[in-house]
């Protein structure tokens, strides 16, 4: 089963993402793990928790999403990272840490489903290799 995590400090977006992912989970059968703090996500990953897909906000207090992704890559090079942010200024940096996609906010349901289908298909292709 595909494991998806998302990390965002914005309560409204976190709620929206949970709604989208709950709908997605019902239709496609995935496991979800929400995080509001990147340090909690990093602690789980450092402890060996693995995800197939990670939706990660860029602009968060403490450690930003780009730096969190750098740390995540030390433990997991296979997770597909999708940055979700209101700022385009980190787009180039996102690909340095191997981002699958850089999604600007707001997120619309139809584009979210297409993007999630695409990244999960990529995960399955990688598993077959």
């Amino acid at each position: 089963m595909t494991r998806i995590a998302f990390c965002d400090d914005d309560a409204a977006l976190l709620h929206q993402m949970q709604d989208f992912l709950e709908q997605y989970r019902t239709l496609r059968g995935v496991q979800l793990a929400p995080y509001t703090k990147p340090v909690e996500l990093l602690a789980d990953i450092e402890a060996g928790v693995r995800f197939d897909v990670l939706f990660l906000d860029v602009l968060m207090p403490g450690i930003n999403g780009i730096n969190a992704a750098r740390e995540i890559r030390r433990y997991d090079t296979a997770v597909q990272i999708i940055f979700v942010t209101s700022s385009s200024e980190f787009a180039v940096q996102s690909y340095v840490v191997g981002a699958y996609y850089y999604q600007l906010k707001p997120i619309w349901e139809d584009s979210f489903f297409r993007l999630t289908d695409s990244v999960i298909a990529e995960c399955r292709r990688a598993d077959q290799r």
Side-chain angles (χ1 to χ4, degrees), residues 25-40:
R25 182 189 64 76
T26 301
L27 295 170
R28 310 285 201 284
V30 297
Q31 291 180 343
L32 308 176
Y35 292 88
T36 57
K37 298 176 183 164
V39 293
E40 293 171 355

Side-chain angles (χ1 to χ4, degrees), residues 63-124:
I63 181 171
N64 72 34
I66 300 294
N67 290 333
R70 281 190 186 104
E71 185 69 17
I72 289 166
R73 287 293 184 222
R74 293 179 57 213
Y75 298 93
D76 188 343
T77 59
V79 64
Q80 298 291 340
I81 298 173
I82 297 171
F83 287 103
V84 179
T85 185
S86 58
S87 173
S88 63
E89 78 177 270
F90 296 96
V92 173
Q93 290 179 21
S94 74
Y95 293 103
V96 171
V97 294
Y100 179 81
Y101 198 76
Y102 194 89
Q103 173 68 52
L104 290 174
K105 296 175 185 176
I107 302 169
W108 307 109
E109 186 176 342
D110 59 336
S111 62
F112 172 81
F113 275 67
R114 281 192 309 271
L115 175 58
T116 307
D117 282 343
S118 172
V119 71
I120 289 175
E122 178 60 31
C123 290
R124 290 186 178 136

Side-chain angles (χ1 to χ4, degrees), residues 31-68:
Q31 291 180 343
L32 308 176
Y35 292 88
T36 57
K37 298 176 183 164
V39 293
E40 293 171 355
L41 172 64
L42 288 170
D44 281 355
I45 289 173
E46 288 173 5
V49 176
R50 293 294 174 258
F51 300 102
D52 300 295
V53 180
L54 173 59
F55 289 90
L56 186 61
D57 187 15
V58 173
L59 302 174
M60 294 184 284
I63 181 171
N64 72 34
I66 300 294
N67 290 333

